[in-house]
Amino acid sequence: MESLIGLVNRIQRACTVLGDYGGGDNAFSSLWEALPTVAVVGGQSSGKSSVLESIVGRDFLPRGSGIVTRRPLVLQLHKTEDGSQEYAEFLHLPKRRFTDFSVVRKEIQDETDRITGKTKQISPVPIHLSIYSPNVVNLTLIDLPGLTKVAIEGQPESIVQDIEAMVRTYVEKPNCIILAISPANQDIATSDAIKLAREVDPTGERTFGVLTKLDLMDKGTNALDVLEGRSYRLQHPWVGIVNRSQADINKNIDMIVARRKEREYFATSPDYGHLSNKMGSEYLAKLLSKHLESVIRARIPSITSLINKSIDELESEMDHLGRPIAVDAGAQLYTILELCRAFDKVFKEHLDGGRPGGDRIYGVFDNQLPAALRKLPFDRHLSQQNVRRVVSEADGYQPHLIAPEQGYRRLIESSLNYFRGPAEASADAVHFVLKELVRKSIAETQELRRFPSLQAELAAAANEALERFRNDSKKTVLRLVDMESSYLTVDFFRRLPQEVDNKGGNPASSTVDRYTEMHFRRIGSNVSSYVGMVSETLKNTIPKAVVHCQVREAKQSLLNYFYTQIGKKEGKQLSQLLDEDPALMERRLECAKRLELYKAARDEIDSVSWAR
Ligand code: GDP
Ligand code: MG
């Protein structure tokens, strides 16, 4: 069944487009790594690129002696419908379709040079090439630089280890199927491919042994010991190959012709005739494809669970990042209002309890205000001396006869004035608590996190509103104080004990001085207890006024003005309010793309699994 491999191929293709392919340290590369790939491994000039070409059936790889392949080439073969045009596409040149495969080869060379320079250096950065053709099987193959033994002129000493390390990163992945290429004209015991494959895959379950250059063996010798598994045993049968020689390539021998010649070679070979239906590049392609399919089939449950897990992770990250914002003004307005509501909810929780902070307002009424009232300098203001001064000034040239009406009024009025300070201070203190709660609520509103502009705008609007509430509150509390001065509680004075002379005392002992002293002290104490009574009243009424003007308003209409302003804004101004941190937008886009890929993959896998 071709569809399974095609499916994996499409997922891999999508992964590469997103930059999530093996080898990178991209956090998203795990899906790619869960999918099987085929990597071609072997010594330099063992025929790796030639084998790949025969599998594809097209000339498109740079080949020849010396180090030709200097960057990994991730080659994805996509089978298309019969009769459709064959073309190739590079990941680094999206949208450009290559139909001339000699241009593909040139581009591989150029792209290699772009990273490595025109040197003999290597680079682990892969080139991604996709081939769409009705004549290929669905496969992903990776061509790797050949393993070498010594650094040649122009190469750093470390190149031998570098190449091996690079090749190793590909073949050591448990999902990598190793196509181990060994030339038949060398002793298999010296094969670099088999040496490395044995290290990373000791049981040989994911290694396919490929013997090239059968045509170049010394006359009179053959490779039957290898091909029949007697020299080196692998779980999969060895496949012998005859690629085009350098002379064939120079003569531009066509691929189709080469394949026919290869078939003829095996069919007519006295040594390999009995194996001819299990030899050659076409057979190798089918063998690989079949194997790949069974591997994928076995992996489907784990791939599906990986995909589901990734989808869950991506969904929750998306939730965390917030969904993308709508583009039309109506929806944006709706979003902004939703965000304001979210903020408002948090703010109210702070005031009403559930979140801390609201209690600090009670602290203002319970501690700060009473303390401020207690600290008012009435002792000094109502000292006998001052009382005498104020009363005398009020009396003028004619001292009062019974009770100093004017003196009382002046003393009371001037005392009550002192209440203005604590009254205003209460409004200020509550204002600062509310302002702090606004700041906290903005910070605590998860939904707002992504919108720094809206945060700033909201804070400004809320603070402006709080400022208005404070002004109103101050006016109200001052009015409470003024009301106390405007009309005094008559009853209080009526109930005062009459100023009678010393009951039964010795009149002779009371001098005028003593009399006046007592008299003024009594006036002072009367005023003081009146002021004390007013203070008790204000201690209760100031909080009522402050809550009414500031707290209640903040709860009910903190953002009212903001709402009317928002309603008047144009689409562009709205989107400015909703502009996000660019890094966050980028990340969301990445997540969204992956989510789409993973979901599509899940759907495809579902449908393929059901089809079985
Ligand atoms: P790579 O370095 O492993 O990729 O090897 P290439 O595919 O570039 O091949 C190296 C050289 O060996 C080229 O000149 C090929 O034409 C030649 N070659 C590869 N396979 C065969 C083969 O089976 N028979 C013959 N006669 N030549 C081959
Ligand atoms: Mg090569």
Side-chain angles (χ1 to χ4, degrees):
M1 206 203 310
E2 203 76 348
S3 54
L4 267 183
I5 307 175
L7 154 71
V8 166
N9 240 7
R10 278 192 296 280
I11 299 176
Q12 280 173 328
R13 168 96 195 125
C15 286
T16 39
V17 172
L18 294 173
D20 303 347
Y21 42 80
D25 34 30
N26 190 317
F28 291 109
S29 61
S30 55
L31 181 56
W32 169 279
E33 279 176 17
L35 303 170
T37 49
V38 180
V40 185
V41 186
Q44 201 168 296
S45 293
S46 57
K48 298 179 296 300
S49 299
S50 300
V51 168
L52 279 186
E53 276 192 338
S54 336
I55 291 176
V56 179
R58 293 302 302 236
D59 296 89
F60 64 98
L61 290 173
R63 269 161 302 114
S65 54
I67 182 158
V68 181
T69 308
R70 291 182 286 119
R71 283 175 62 181
L73 177 83
V74 178
L75 175 66
Q76 293 200 291
L77 307 180
H78 307 266
K79 185 172 171 59
T80 52
E81 266 168 45
D82 277 342
S84 53
Q85 162 88 315
E86 218 170 13
Y87 67 92
E89 227 175 47
F90 286 97
L91 182 68
H92 65 269
L93 292 171
K95 295 194 191 90
R96 185 162 157 206
R97 288 188 172 192
F98 291 76
T99 46
D100 181 347
F101 281 77
S102 61
V103 183
V104 172
R105 174 181 338 194
K106 174 92 176 30
E107 181 54 36
I108 295 174
Q109 270 157 354
D110 292 350
E111 177 57 20
T112 302
D113 293 345
R114 256 168 235 144
I115 295 264
T116 60
K118 276 195 182 301
T119 59
K120 296 196 163 58
Q121 314 255 10
I122 56 156
S123 159
V125 182
I127 298 174
H128 286 270
L129 173 64
S130 281
I131 293 178
Y132 298 82
S133 160
N135 307 322
V136 295
V137 289
N138 282 314
L139 260 184
T140 293
L141 298 157
I142 304 172
D143 192 15
L144 292 165
L147 300 159
T148 55
K149 301 248 182 331
V150 287
I152 54 160
E153 198 50 42
Q155 289 180 331
E157 272 308 310
S158 63
I159 191 139
V160 177
Q161 288 83 23
D162 291 348
I163 293 178
E164 198 190 308
M166 185 208 296
V167 172
R168 214 177 260 278
T169 59
Y170 284 87
V171 296
E172 69 191 1
K173 304 247 159 70
N175 283 324
C176 180
I177 294 161
I178 304 168
L179 213 52
I181 314 284
S182 313
N185 56 354
Q186 271 173 29
D187 196 331
I188 197 73
T190 65
S191 163
D192 300 298
I194 291 299
K195 180 168 168 277
L196 186 62
R198 198 207 307 244
E199 271 178 52
V200 297
D201 174 33
T203 58
E205 59 191 321
R206 52 187 182 93
T207 302
F208 282 79
V210 177
L211 208 58
T212 57
K213 305 194 182 180
L214 286 173
D215 58 318
L216 294 183
M217 290 185 77
D218 281 343
K219 289 231 156 50
T221 60
N222 66 49
L224 279 177
D225 276 351
V226 176
L227 292 177
E228 288 177 343
R230 285 186 294 276
S231 303
Y232 185 75
R233 244 198 116 63
L234 286 168
Q235 306 230 352
H236 305 282
W238 281 79
V239 180
I241 297 268
V242 177
N243 291 313
R244 287 172 299 171
S245 66
Q246 192 59 44
D248 292 339
I249 294 168
N250 296 349
K251 276 187 279 173
N252 273 329
I253 297 277
D254 184 277
M255 204 68 207
I256 307 300
V257 176
R259 273 190 175 180
R260 201 188 62 228
K261 278 173 82 177
E262 188 190 29
R263 266 200 307 276
E264 280 167 14
Y265 175 90
F266 286 111
T268 60
S269 158
D271 292 323
Y272 313 117
H274 64 295
L275 293 173
S276 67
N277 58 344
K278 293 189 163 168
M279 294 288 134
S281 20
E282 278 169 289
Y283 176 73
L284 178 62
K286 290 206 187 87
L287 185 69
L288 275 179
S289 165
K290 224 174 108 202
H291 175 70
L292 203 56
E293 196 197 306
S294 72
V295 169
I296 294 170
R297 195 182 293 285
R299 296 270 157 82
I300 278 193
S302 65
I303 294 173
T304 312
S305 82
L306 175 73
I307 289 179
N308 285 334
K309 188 171 140 266
S310 310
I311 289 178
D312 286 350
E313 282 168 6
L314 287 166
E315 295 267 15
S316 81
E317 179 162 359
M318 283 294 269
D319 282 341
H320 186 73
L321 294 173
R323 300 285 159 172
I325 320 151
V327 276
D328 65 299
Q332 285 182 338
L333 185 61
Y334 180 80
T335 306
I336 293 176
L337 294 179
E338 286 280 276
L339 291 166
C340 292
R341 261 193 287 281
F343 156 77
D344 214 40
K345 186 166 164 281
V346 174
F347 181 66
K348 283 197 178 109
E349 281 170 12
H350 272 296
L351 286 177
D352 295 337
R355 289 176 194 255
D359 50 316
R360 282 173 47 210
I361 293 176
Y362 177 65
V364 171
F365 302 148
D366 195 41
N367 298 313
Q368 271 168 262
L369 177 60
L373 291 174
R374 270 197 305 276
K375 270 194 230 131
L376 290 177
F378 293 127
D379 284 352
R380 187 158 37 81
H381 190 60
L382 297 176
S383 67
Q384 194 219 27
Q385 215 181 359
N386 205 40
V387 169
R388 186 199 291 257
R389 188 180 57 77
V390 174
V391 170
S392 310
E393 274 174 23
D395 281 350
Y397 70 94
Q398 160 86 75
H400 61 274
L401 301 178
I402 301 170
E405 178 81 15
Q406 272 310 312
Y408 264 113
R409 284 194 183 282
R410 283 199 189 180
L411 278 171
I412 290 174
E413 245 163 64
S414 56
S415 297
L416 293 185
N417 249 336
Y418 282 108
F419 288 121
R420 301 174 80 89
E424 282 192 308
S426 297
D428 283 334
V430 168
H431 175 77
F432 289 121
V433 174
L434 291 172
K435 218 170 137 176
E436 174 63 12
L437 291 184
V438 163
R439 193 192 61 75
K440 266 192 173 163
S441 303
I442 287 178
E444 285 167 17
T445 306
Q446 274 291 335
E447 296 89 328
L448 271 176
R449 288 251 155 106
R450 21 190 306 220
F451 305 111
S453 305
L454 183 60
Q455 279 184 30
E457 202 79 5
L458 256 183
N463 288 337
E464 216 177 271
L466 289 181
E467 206 70 60
R468 266 186 286 119
F469 302 154
R470 167 164 72 171
N471 288 341
D472 191 37
S473 177
K474 276 192 180 175
K475 273 190 206 132
T476 308
V477 291
L478 290 180
R479 183 165 281 193
L480 282 180
V481 176
D482 289 345
M483 276 154 60
E484 291 294 340
S485 331
S486 317
Y487 188 71
L488 305 182
T489 309
V490 184
D491 257 8
F492 176 88
F493 293 95
R494 294 226 170 113
R495 275 207 305 269
L496 280 181
Q498 284 308 300
E499 205 170 310
V500 285
D501 294 330
N502 326 349
K503 313 153 204 148
N506 185 359
S509 68
S510 59
T511 63
V512 174
D513 259 6
R514 254 185 79 72
Y515 170 80
T516 46
E517 194 178 303
M518 291 250 310
H519 178 65
F520 285 121
R521 195 174 289 157
R522 190 183 298 272
I523 294 173
S525 112
N526 285 344
V527 170
S528 172
S529 50
Y530 185 79
V531 167
M533 183 193 76
V534 172
S535 178
E536 278 305 307
T537 309
L538 289 178
K539 203 160 81 187
N540 292 324
T541 51
I542 287 175
K544 291 179 206 284
V546 166
V547 168
H548 181 80
C549 298
Q550 289 176 273
V551 182
R552 192 190 60 122
E553 281 301 305
K555 263 171 74 176
Q556 286 181 352
S557 58
L558 186 66
L559 295 178
N560 279 7
Y561 183 67
F562 182 67
Y563 290 148
T564 55
Q565 289 305 100
I566 283 284
K568 288 185 206 141
K569 285 201 197 261
E570 303 280 319
K572 200 166 151 251
Q573 293 167 300
L574 289 176
S575 32
Q576 270 167 7
L577 274 183
L578 290 176
D579 66 348
E580 299 180 84
D581 181 3
L584 199 145
M585 283 158 79
E586 176 86 359
R587 179 77 190 167
R588 178 183 317 105
L589 207 65
E590 297 259 293
C591 277
K593 279 190 199 153
R594 273 164 192 87
L595 205 52
E596 198 183 327
L597 156 68
Y598 284 34
K599 280 184 173 164
R602 182 178 60 186
D603 291 351
E604 275 206 67
I605 290 181
D606 277 355
S607 65
V608 171
S609 318
W610 282 107
R612 270 190 291 163

